[in-house]
Amino acid sequence: MEDTNHGAEIAVEEGDDRDTSYYCEDFNWEDLRDEMETKDQRDGFINLGDEATECCSNKEAWQSFHQRHFRGTFFKERKYLLKEFPELLQADGNTKILEVGCGNGSSVLPILRANGSVVVYACDCSVVALERAREMVDAATDISGTCRFHAFYCDLSLESFPSWLCCVTCQESFQAQANDNQKGQNKETSDKEHVQCCIGGVDIVTLIFTLSSIPLKRMPHLIKECLSILKPGGMIFFRDYGLYDMTMLRFPLTQKIGEHQYVRGDGTFSYYFSLEVLRDLFTKSGFIEIESQFCCVQLLNRKKGQKMRRVWVHGKFQKPLA
């Protein structure tokens, strides 16, 4: 059975593709919160047990999801990311970007199209999604140098990144270099020195509608893994579902499995972030908060004549220089 709630999330996930600049405030989130808190909010949730919600991956559910939507245009290209994170356009040819949870490549494609010099690595827990992402990039005639895209399998809800991204020796070397630079010694180390053992880490990690898909107690593991492969000063660009988003309010109590966390009809998870939880997750994992805010966009379902209040969270977090 198709999960219609999931379809509604993806269909309008991107919001309004405004031509001018990044747009994020059709309504005030605090007003929406006050409205929701005055309504009859049902407490409680179903308990799937620790094994289902804390220790295990739901990669089988995502594999099935991507098999159902392997062809067609279920996912749209996330062109808005270039407005939301202009640093992706400004990155030079030495920049390495890692997309965590790349799906069929809907975030990767606009980055590769807009910036002809960066190298993009991408991982996912679904081999079907990775195959589709490779096909999409290979078929894009306006992307120069398909060798700039490298996709690989990794289930970060349970596993660690492969050592070829940034081995322990290189992590220690980059940290020592950053410490020397802060002391004014300015010792520089070229990436070429690390090519024998790994790629030497990445400059940017994008987490776009990925963190919400794993259990809350597994999120710190994924974030710390991202910290480990980022170079000092590197950035995480984050976008995901926000508290009181329209799709959250559609879930029945029988699909609630934790505080602000739900399981869809197809077995995939969805968590809805408050800014407090978001900041706490990243700062406790060692990141510095650069930006965090709600993105509140009102869309119109013309067919039904219904207004849809979408809430997403936007964030930029930086790995300390030392």
Side-chain angles (χ1 to χ4, degrees):
M1 181 179 70
E2 188 62 46
D3 185 357
T4 55
N5 196 45
H6 200 171
E9 290 181 40
I10 301 300
V12 289
E13 164 187 295
E14 294 127 352
D16 194 346
D17 190 15
R18 318 268 170 154
D19 292 331
T20 53
S21 61
Y22 173 55
Y23 189 85
C24 66
E25 194 169 359
D26 277 334
F27 57 90
N28 188 283
W29 182 84
E30 286 76 14
D31 292 340
L32 176 62
R33 177 201 59 197
D34 294 344
E35 178 186 334
M36 293 300 105
E37 289 182 351
T38 58
K39 292 184 177 180
D40 180 23
Q41 297 292 310
R42 294 171 296 172
D43 295 326
F45 51 87
I46 60 174
N47 186 358
L48 299 184
D50 289 350
E51 184 178 359
T53 58
E54 295 177 16
C55 300
C56 289
S57 165
N58 60 343
K59 65 179 181 181
E60 291 82 7
W62 283 110
Q63 181 81 345
S64 297
F65 170 82
H66 285 291
Q67 285 174 335
R68 291 197 305 275
H69 301 288
F70 184 74
R71 301 295 177 189
T73 56
F74 191 72
F75 287 97
K76 296 180 181 179
E77 281 191 42
R78 293 165 171 156
K79 298 177 183 178
Y80 62 87
L81 294 178
L82 303 176
K83 301 173 184 177
E84 187 173 1
F85 305 111
E87 296 91 339
L88 296 170
L89 287 170
Q90 299 159 5
D92 61 28
N94 295 318
T95 301
K96 301 185 185 79
I97 299 172
L98 171 64
E99 163 78 354
V100 177
C102 64
N104 74 336
S106 56
S107 296
V108 167
L109 281 166
I111 297 172
L112 288 171
R113 283 195 171 104
N115 191 324
S117 59
V118 298
V119 176
V120 178
Y121 297 84
C123 66
D124 202 277
C125 67
S126 167
V127 293
V128 174
L130 291 169
E131 180 183 347
R132 182 58 174 161
R134 293 187 186 101
E135 286 185 3
M136 295 286 284
V137 172
D138 289 343
T141 57
D142 55 345
I143 293 178
S144 61
T146 53
C147 60
R148 294 189 295 118
F149 178 66
H150 307 276
F152 63 97
Y153 173 87
C154 187
D155 180 9
L156 273 184
S157 65
L158 294 176
E159 303 168 357
S160 299
F161 280 121
S163 60
W164 59 260
L165 272 175
C166 191
C167 67
V168 173
T169 301
C170 291
Q171 289 178 34
E172 293 173 348
S173 175
F174 276 121
Q175 197 61 57
Q177 178 191 343
N179 292 339
D180 289 340
N181 290 344
Q182 276 208 333
K183 295 174 183 177
Q185 297 179 19
N186 295 322
K187 296 178 182 177
E188 294 189 2
T189 305
S190 170
D191 283 353
K192 293 180 180 180
E193 295 180 28
H194 301 276
V195 73
Q196 297 297 324
C197 52
C198 67
I199 67 168
V202 299
D203 304 279
I204 295 172
V205 170
T206 55
L207 269 177
I208 312 299
F209 296 98
T210 296
L211 199 61
S212 61
S213 67
I214 68 174
L216 178 62
K217 290 192 175 182
R218 298 298 303 168
M219 293 180 189
H221 166 76
L222 187 152
I223 295 171
K224 289 175 182 176
E225 280 296 308
C226 292
L227 184 78
S228 72
I229 53 87
L230 269 172
K231 299 175 184 178
M235 298 285 294
I236 279 191
F237 297 148
F238 180 90
R239 183 179 174 94
D240 219 315
Y241 299 113
L243 191 59
Y244 301 127
D245 178 57
M246 173 194 76
T247 59
M248 171 184 169
L249 303 179
R250 287 182 175 181
F251 278 108
L253 181 61
T254 53
Q255 289 178 251
K256 186 176 183 180
I257 57 174
E259 189 70 20
H260 306 149
Q261 187 151 41
Y262 299 81
V263 59
R264 303 184 184 92
D266 61 3
T268 58
F269 295 158
S270 185
Y271 184 86
Y272 295 84
F273 292 92
S274 67
L275 293 183
E276 292 76 15
V277 168
L278 180 66
R279 292 163 179 157
D280 192 59
L281 281 167
F282 278 90
T283 56
K284 285 188 176 179
S285 296
F287 280 94
I288 299 168
E289 177 191 351
I290 304 300
E291 293 179 9
S292 64
Q293 66 181 101
F294 284 114
C295 174
C296 301
V297 176
Q298 183 166 281
L299 305 176
L300 176 65
N301 183 325
R302 291 184 175 86
K303 186 176 181 180
K304 297 183 179 180
Q306 294 178 342
K307 293 181 179 179
M308 303 180 294
R309 290 183 293 187
R310 301 309 312 269
V311 180
W312 299 289
V313 283
H314 157 99
K316 296 180 182 179
F317 302 91
Q318 185 175 40
K319 181 173 181 175
L321 288 171

